Amino acid sequence: AVESGHRTLYRSAFDLLEDIAEATATGQRRQFVSDLTRVPLLIIEDLGLRKVPATAAEDLLEILHRRYHKASTIISSNRPLEDWGAMLGGDTAATSALLDRFLHNSELTLIKGKSYRLYDRQQRLKAETGK
């Protein structure tokens, strides 16, 4: 998307949630969420890799709700969708609404296999040692 000239914002889930908390604490939440809404493609990486704050479901819902039918969002996670409710603080109305909006027009891609990073490392080692 970037190479094609599309404006994109790429953040890890934990960094994005920290950014929201900081914007909230400094009185900049409305502007920050507005900025996130205007980015044509938002990529949120590694949701569920670290424990999320208690407000994660509500924070992500606000972002997805404002982007709904307006802009594209990609979320990567190493956790199955069945775990997202518990991961985001239990079976709350915010979690249900977040999943409802996210899954409504989404394409799910399940990637199985070994880590690409480990594969890449093995290939580089083979090239270096000739084995």
Side-chain angles (χ1 to χ4, degrees):
V2 171
E3 289 177 3
S4 297
H6 298 281
R7 209 163 48 95
T8 303
L9 177 62
Y10 177 91
R11 297 293 285 159
S12 69
F14 42 88
D15 286 337
L16 181 64
L17 292 167
E18 284 181 1
D19 292 345
I20 293 169
E22 182 179 329
T24 301
T26 60
Q28 300 297 314
R29 182 185 181 102
R30 178 173 282 191
Q31 183 61 50
F32 183 73
V33 171
S34 177
D35 292 345
L36 290 175
T37 302
R38 289 194 302 271
V39 175
L41 175 59
L42 174 62
I43 302 171
I44 304 171
E45 180 189 38
D46 290 335
L47 182 62
L49 201 59
R50 289 178 36 186
K51 185 175 170 133
V52 297
T55 60
E58 292 85 1
D59 293 338
L60 292 172
L61 172 60
E62 181 177 3
I63 293 165
L64 291 178
H65 174 75
R66 295 185 188 286
R67 296 178 60 76
Y68 188 60
H69 289 301
K70 296 175 185 165
S72 298
T73 306
I74 295 172
I75 300 177
S76 76
S77 178
N78 64 346
R79 307 278 296 272
L81 281 174
E82 306 83 62
D83 292 354
W84 283 30
M87 177 180 66
L88 293 172
D91 187 20
T92 65
T95 300
S96 296
L98 181 149
L99 287 170
D100 183 61
R101 282 162 182 79
F102 183 65
L103 295 174
H104 179 228
N105 292 314
S106 67
E107 289 287 330
L108 299 178
T109 304
L110 178 62
I111 301 171
K112 292 184 177 184
K114 295 180 181 179
S115 165
Y116 180 77
R117 290 178 184 102
L118 293 178
Y119 173 79
D120 183 57
R121 175 70 178 146
Q122 289 171 343
Q123 296 305 309
R124 285 187 288 131
L125 284 174
K126 283 182 186 178
E128 289 171 8
T129 61
K131 297 180 183 179

